[in-house]
Amino acid sequence: MSFPVTRPRRLRATPVLRKMVRETTLAPGDFIYPMFIVHGQRIRREIKSMPGICQLSVDQAVLEAQEAAELGIPAITLFGIPAVKDSVGSENFSDEGIVQQALRAIKKALPELITIADLCMCEYTDHGHCGIVEGDEILNDATLEILGKAAVSYARAGADVIAPSGMMDGMVSAIRPALDAEGFVNVSILSYAIKYASAFYGPFREAAEGTPQFGDRKTHQMDPANAREALRELALDLEEGADMVMVKPALPYLDIIRRVRDACHLPVAAYNVSGEYAMIKAAAANGWLDERAVVLELLTGIKRAGADMILTYHAKDATRWLRGSD
Ligand code: PBG
């Protein structure tokens, strides 16, 4: 049956009708809000390439988390900028580390908000790499030990979820037993299972002060050209015991989000990363794009591709727009 009997425009005639047949809906409950935590008091230092996003001291992070929670955002994810960087990233596994302090303060103020601790070494090391470095090599297995120690420290500080983001082989199978041995059997693991070596992380590296001092991340992060390999990474993380998996970045990898969604039964997160955010903010500031419309469209696209959860710097704005309160 085709035209003139069939007319798809019939179902697009009014806003109510369009809403009734809508296949994908976006809601505040889909978002995870990333935050950058620094030492000090009363600090809100805006990141130049990420307008609207600040490095926050713990007191300010509590206020920001409160605002997110009140808007209906269920979870935040924390990145730390340490006081001192060294070759093994000591502050990462110190109970007095900046993220540990923030976790305790946020959990105390907002016990129901889900706290996710990003787990990587690059923000904490003086060389800016995601692992222990020997010569110009990033050592895999030596790094795993440190990740296990840091995961336990985050769990002790109150993290509900540990999110290893360093793309070391075996990271989930190192963290799970480390957590379990300390009694944290109910702390879950959101693995950055499929993370590409992307140029879209540029602004984040300014925000988290974790630019590698030499070389790049191509020996551990994935080649943007590969899709089958994503399924291999996924299979390994499933076997190792990940509770949730992430694809990152989001927009150039919507096909990967779809494949991952179809290939497993775990919740799938997608990370709408700093460079994706920066592009929108820059175009909007120039009056070249309608920020509200494009943000809701791109977040809908990420969800339609198969993401159950979206880590996004737009989370607070998008929530206000969705609730029609702005
Ligand atoms: C740390 C980490 C990075 C991001 C999240 N965790 C940077 C990187 O791998 O270089 C990027 C997030 C973003 O760009 O918003 N490994």
Side-chain angles (χ1 to χ4, degrees), residues 119-161:
L119 173 57
C120 189
M121 284 176 61
C122 58
E123 299 105 274
Y124 294 92
T125 51
D126 48 13
H127 44 69
H129 280 295
C130 308
I132 299 286
V133 167
E134 195 176 85
D136 57 5
E137 195 184 337
I138 300 154
L139 300 181
N140 194 85
D141 301 12
T143 301
L144 296 182
E145 240 176 84
I146 292 188
L147 295 182
K149 266 201 327 199
V152 168
S153 174
Y154 289 135
R156 206 182 285 131
D160 298 298
V161 180

Side-chain angles (χ1 to χ4, degrees), residues 18 21 29 32 48 50 58 82 113 120 126-127 153 156 158 190 192 230 241 248 250 257 281 286 304-305 316:
R18 289 195 293 275
V21 299
I32 296 170
K48 261 203 299 262
M50 300 175 72
V58 170
L113 183 70
C120 189
D126 48 13
H127 44 69
S153 174
R156 206 182 285 131
L190 164 58
Y192 286 64
K248 173 179 173 195
I257 295 172
K281 294 304 270 191
N286 274 294
R304 190 197 62 239
K316 288 197 307 171

Side-chain angles (χ1 to χ4, degrees), residues 167 193-197 218 220-233 247-249 252-257 259-260:
M167 286 297 278
I194 296 139
K195 175 169 174 181
Y196 287 91
K218 290 180 183 167
H220 49 102
Q221 298 179 348
M222 280 181 57
D223 183 338
N226 292 357
R228 289 192 303 266
E229 189 187 358
L231 299 180
R232 187 164 182 239
E233 284 284 2
V247 176
K248 173 179 173 195
Y253 301 95
L254 294 175
D255 58 326
I256 307 297
I257 295 172
R259 286 195 196 206
V260 168

Side-chain angles (χ1 to χ4, degrees), residues 36 50 79 118 120 122-123 130 165-166 192 195 200-202 204-205 210 217 221 248 271-275 313:
F36 300 96
M50 300 175 72
F79 297 96
D118 182 89
C120 189
C122 58
E123 299 105 274
C130 308
S165 65
Y192 286 64
K195 175 169 174 181
F200 285 95
Y201 307 148
F204 173 94
R205 292 182 188 165
R217 306 217 199 286
Q221 298 179 348
K248 173 179 173 195
Y271 201 142
N272 175 220
V273 301
S274 57
Y313 303 100

